[in-house]
Amino acid sequence: MGELCDLQQRIAAALCGAAGARSATEPGGAPDPVGDMFAVAEAIAARGVLDLDDLRHLSDAAGTALLLRVVPIGLATPLDRPRLRRAAYRCASAAGADEGTTLVCVATALVAADLCRFDPSTTAIRVRQSLLEDAPMALLNRLTILEPQTDVEAGAGDPGAMLQAALSVLDWTASAGVSSALARLGEAGRGDTGTLAAALAGAACGVCDVPVDAATAERAGRAAAAIADAAGAVA
């Protein structure tokens, strides 16, 4: 897959997948990881880059919720690894993440980018190699595919475990789609783990096969079109 002519579809599917998986987002002032993901995507769509003002308007989030926020960063420039690494690092750092969580955010952005071109197993290898000199062994060990018989837990607030679970379930389901990933995770797919898996599944297959409302689909489509157009990747 040398050209990303379907990048627009992949971005839209990632956004819609996350929204579809997040079926019980609390109204009001509760932190909304999917809302932040859309906000990041729309900021990139509007200006091509994120700046500190964009980040200041996001909700307070920590740990695993930050991983979803960097998925659009990986999809915005999937062929420019240095640029997406800088942007993901900056996004996580601006949220006050510690160094370990920040590096998991960088890994997540790289995973999202590589899933546009490679299968989950190859993606894990490539991202691990990319971070070999920067990441601690604990994170590098997470950039592997779990055995299919592994009992996946929700992650208990561990960003590395959440990323590993999301990437593994895509491998187990051969990136068949968002609904397949969520079904395979079962109870472990509730909350941030399932939402991240759904976003990455959308990026991997380019289709969202779970229901979302028309307004959300339209919003995702607008952002995706602008980002893909800026990347010169529209067919």
Side-chain angles (χ1 to χ4, degrees), residues 192-215:
D192 293 334
T193 298
T195 309
L196 178 64
L200 294 179
C205 70
V207 176
C208 176
D209 58 356
V210 297
V212 295
D213 62 81

Side-chain angles (χ1 to χ4, degrees), residues 73-168:
I73 293 173
L75 296 175
T77 56
L79 301 180
D80 190 343
R81 293 171 87 77
R83 180 178 174 184
L84 76 85
R85 285 183 63 161
R86 289 192 300 270
Y89 193 98
R90 185 183 188 195
C91 181
S93 296
D98 58 43
E99 184 67 12
T101 300
T102 297
L103 286 172
V104 180
C105 287
V106 172
T108 301
L110 289 168
V111 164
D114 278 4
L115 285 173
C116 293
R117 298 187 291 154
F118 303 101
D119 61 69
S121 180
T122 302
T123 291
I125 293 170
R126 283 174 53 86
V127 175
R128 194 176 194 276
Q129 289 296 319
S130 292
L131 297 177
L132 201 56
E133 297 183 359
D134 303 313
M137 187 56 64
L139 173 54
L140 296 177
N141 288 340
R142 291 294 189 187
L143 294 171
T144 56
I145 303 298
L146 295 167
E147 293 296 326
Q149 66 270 22
T150 303
D151 290 330
V152 176
E153 299 181 359
D158 181 347
M162 187 175 86
L163 176 59
Q164 184 177 34
L167 189 54
S168 295

Side-chain angles (χ1 to χ4, degrees), residues 14-101:
L15 292 167
C16 288
R22 200 78 176 184
S23 58
T25 299
E26 294 184 12
D32 178 10
V34 174
D36 287 347
M37 182 188 183
F38 270 78
V40 168
E42 288 167 341
I44 296 171
R47 289 179 289 282
V49 295
L50 280 175
D51 58 34
L52 289 178
D53 285 337
D54 297 320
L55 299 175
R56 290 191 188 102
H57 288 93
L58 300 179
S59 64
D60 291 334
T64 55
L66 290 176
L67 272 58
L68 198 65
R69 189 177 291 184
V70 301
V71 169
I73 293 173
L75 296 175
T77 56
L79 301 180
D80 190 343
R81 293 171 87 77
R83 180 178 174 184
L84 76 85
R85 285 183 63 161
R86 289 192 300 270
Y89 193 98
R90 185 183 188 195
C91 181
S93 296
D98 58 43
E99 184 67 12
T101 300

Side-chain angles (χ1 to χ4, degrees), residues 172-187:
W172 301 341
T173 59
S175 299
V178 177
S179 61
S180 294
L182 293 174
R184 181 65 175 80
L185 281 172
E187 287 297 314

